[in-house]
Structures are given as structure tokens and as C-alpha cells.
Amino acid sequence: MVLALAATALVALALLSDLIVPRIDDIWSRWRARRQRTPTWSYDPGRERRAEQRARALLRSCVNEEEWAMYRDLGFLRVWGTLADGPDDAGGTGGAPYAYVIYPHRPILAYLAQTHRLLNEYCVTFPDETRPYGSSRLPDSDDVLAKWMALTGDERRLISTANMHLPGRQLDPAQVRRDLWRLSQWERARMRDAAGGDGTPRPGDRQGAA
Amino acid sequence: MKPGHGEVLIAEGDVERAEDEQRLIEEFRRQLDAGLWAAVPVADHGGRRESIMVRSFEEIPSDADRVIFFPRAAGGR
């Protein structure tokens, strides 16, 4: 009798093993994962601030004085485009000068320098997948510097890597136009200061304010 | 450039000294093998600054005082 019951139980177990074994394996894996000590990095505002200070110092040492002052005062950088017919996918600029606005951790925005017509947004990131402190995100000023280096070093490569979108997808066009207006006012003020603060326009004032 | 840290000094040396140069070359390759991009900030005679993207140690200008490694670009959302 016992032997028959045992044999029946064995057969039942064998039949059910396909269902039971994966479930047991799953429960075991979950239990081990819960027990495993995983490195966790809590957000440390002091560390992030020190990182940003180092990043700002590095950015300042790479760009020229005007660009640094622009970033310090306005919070973004302008980089002139160098491609003869504008960035790819922008429909051609007809040789008109164009530039990019670089914001930290926001898309790069291309625009025509004279008319301020917005061309495209280029979404690009520089993720560090080693996540040294639990995040793949560079400090703000490092992100700006990475974009600046990639744009001035190989504009075509960066633009072809980025995901292109029409203006307005992430950046508010009205805000960008305000920023471009702020930039022109800022450049006029710098020129006035350079001229001695007497308001006397110097050659190139109009062009510099574009 | 490192998230949560900013600038990190990886290696330094004088390329005029053979052992330093070899160490710098190895470190340069290690960074590129790890998937990083390398750039050298330079200034032209007009004071304009730009950078040169370098893909091999030989491409680094002889008067460069530093090479900056940063994560490779990827299309964002």
C-alpha cells in the first residue's frame, strides 16, 4: 500500500516537475536577489555641487573669455555652425550664417543668426553607463563642454548622431527667442563696455548683435 | 568627465620621455577601448577656441597640454 502511494507520488511529481521546478527556481532567484548586497548611492547634494564646480572650472579653461562670460551670465553657449549649407536635415540655409544654442541637458538648437529663425532641435546625450555614483548623467557644465567639444571638433558627426526634431518639441520656441534676444542685448552691452561705456557704436556692432 | 565627480585626472607625463609616452599611449587606448571620445581643446591665432576630436595618439597635436575624454554621444529623446 505504502509502496503504491510512494510510486504514485513519484509519478505525480515527475509529471508536475515542468510546472514546479521553474517556479521554485524563480522563488530561489528572487530570494537570493533580495539577500544580495547591491551598492546604492544616495543623492549627495554636496558631491553634486563639487562636481559642478569642477566641471565649470574645466569648461572655463577650454572656451574663450566671451563664451565663458556668456555661459556664466546667460546659462547657455552659442557655437557658430561651419557647414556650408547648414546642418543636415535643416533644408539648407542658402549659405546664411547659422549657429547652435547649447543648454545643459537640453537639446541643441540650430537657428539662423540674422533672422533668429529656429531650424531644428538636436537631441543628444553623453551617457556614462559605468554610472560611477549611480547616475549616467554628467554635471551640467560637463554636458555643455561635451557638446561644445563635439560640435567644434566634428559638427557633422555630432549632428548625424543626434535625433533631429522640429523646433518646439522640447524647447519652448518663445523661450529660445527670448534667450536669443537676451544674447543680443548682452553682446551690445559688452561692446558698449569695450568701447568705454560711452555708447559710441563701433564697427561691427550690428553684425555682432545678430 | 565623470557623473557625480566632474574632471578626473587619469594620467600625466612628458611625451619626450619614452616610459611616460608609453604609459600615456596605453591609457589613451584604454579610454578609447572603453568607448570614450577624446578631444583636445585648442586656440587659433585670433583667440577663437575650438577642439580637435582625436582617434589615435598620433593625431594629438604635439603642443597639446591635455586630452579630455568624455562619454560618446548618443541620440537623446
Side-chain angles (χ1 to χ4, degrees):
Chain A
M1 177 69 180
V2 174
L3 196 64
L5 278 174
T8 307
L10 276 174
V11 170
L13 266 177
L15 291 171
L16 290 172
S17 62
D18 279 353
L19 295 173
I20 294 170
V21 169
R23 197 173 172 85
I24 291 172
D25 194 39
D26 188 43
I27 291 168
W28 175 246
S29 302
R30 284 170 193 244
W31 184 80
R32 283 185 58 188
R34 273 200 303 271
R35 299 275 298 174
Q36 202 170 25
R37 290 176 68 87
T38 52
T40 55
W41 297 99
S42 56
Y43 178 75
D44 177 353
R47 183 186 64 225
E48 297 297 327
R49 198 166 59 211
R50 288 190 296 275
E52 175 58 19
Q53 283 172 348
R54 276 190 283 268
R56 285 176 76 85
L58 182 63
L59 174 63
R60 186 176 189 175
S61 71
C62 292
V63 300
N64 66 22
E65 190 276 330
E66 184 194 21
E67 288 171 318
W68 166 249
M70 186 187 299
Y71 181 65
R72 180 195 61 207
D73 296 346
L74 304 174
F76 59 84
L77 266 187
R78 178 196 51 204
V79 173
W80 293 102
T82 59
L83 302 175
D85 200 28
D88 293 343
D89 306 318
T93 60
Y98 68 98
Y100 299 97
V101 179
I102 300 177
Y103 296 100
H105 294 295
R106 306 296 303 277
I108 297 169
L109 190 121
Y111 70 99
L112 289 180
Q114 288 170 345
T115 61
H116 288 185
R117 183 165 76 83
L118 308 183
L119 297 174
N120 283 320
E121 288 182 9
Y122 296 95
C123 302
V124 63
T125 59
F126 297 88
D128 184 343
E129 296 305 343
T130 63
R131 297 172 180 263
Y133 291 95
S135 168
S136 64
R137 188 177 153 113
L138 291 172
D140 284 359
S141 298
D142 272 352
D143 181 72
V144 169
L145 178 58
K147 287 170 180 164
W148 179 86
M149 288 194 295
L151 263 182
T152 59
D154 194 342
E155 178 183 345
R156 196 180 294 279
R157 183 184 183 192
L158 183 69
I159 292 305
S160 65
T161 303
N163 287 328
M164 189 275 286
H165 298 287
L166 294 174
R169 185 173 185 270
Q170 287 193 51
L171 296 169
D172 177 10
Q175 178 64 52
V176 175
R177 288 197 182 91
R178 274 197 296 275
D179 283 343
L180 295 176
W181 178 82
R182 286 171 58 220
L183 174 60
S184 63
Q185 295 299 308
W186 180 85
E187 287 185 311
R188 283 170 199 262
R190 275 178 65 88
M191 285 180 183
R192 274 198 303 272
D193 290 346
D198 59 359
T200 308
R202 299 189 314 162
D205 260 13
R206 283 171 62 94
Q207 188 181 2
Chain B
M1 297 179 190
K2 281 276 178 203
H5 194 281
E7 181 183 6
V8 178
L9 178 64
I10 297 169
E12 59 183 339
D14 182 358
V15 288
E16 300 296 323
R17 296 173 56 185
E19 65 270 28
D20 278 11
E21 185 185 27
Q22 192 55 40
R23 192 165 45 80
L24 292 172
I25 290 172
E26 284 169 11
E27 193 56 47
F28 182 89
R29 286 183 182 149
R30 203 169 68 82
Q31 296 297 321
L32 261 57
D33 288 346
L36 298 175
W37 279 357
V40 180
V42 293
D44 67 12
H45 296 297
R48 204 174 76 90
R49 300 279 185 97
E50 59 183 11
S51 73
I52 300 172
M53 302 294 288
V54 289
R55 299 178 193 196
S56 70
F57 195 81
E58 293 72 33
E59 288 178 11
I60 300 173
S62 56
D63 59 345
D65 59 354
R66 61 183 164 172
V67 178
I68 297 176
F69 297 96
F70 59 104
R72 152 191 312 264
R77 285 183 296 165

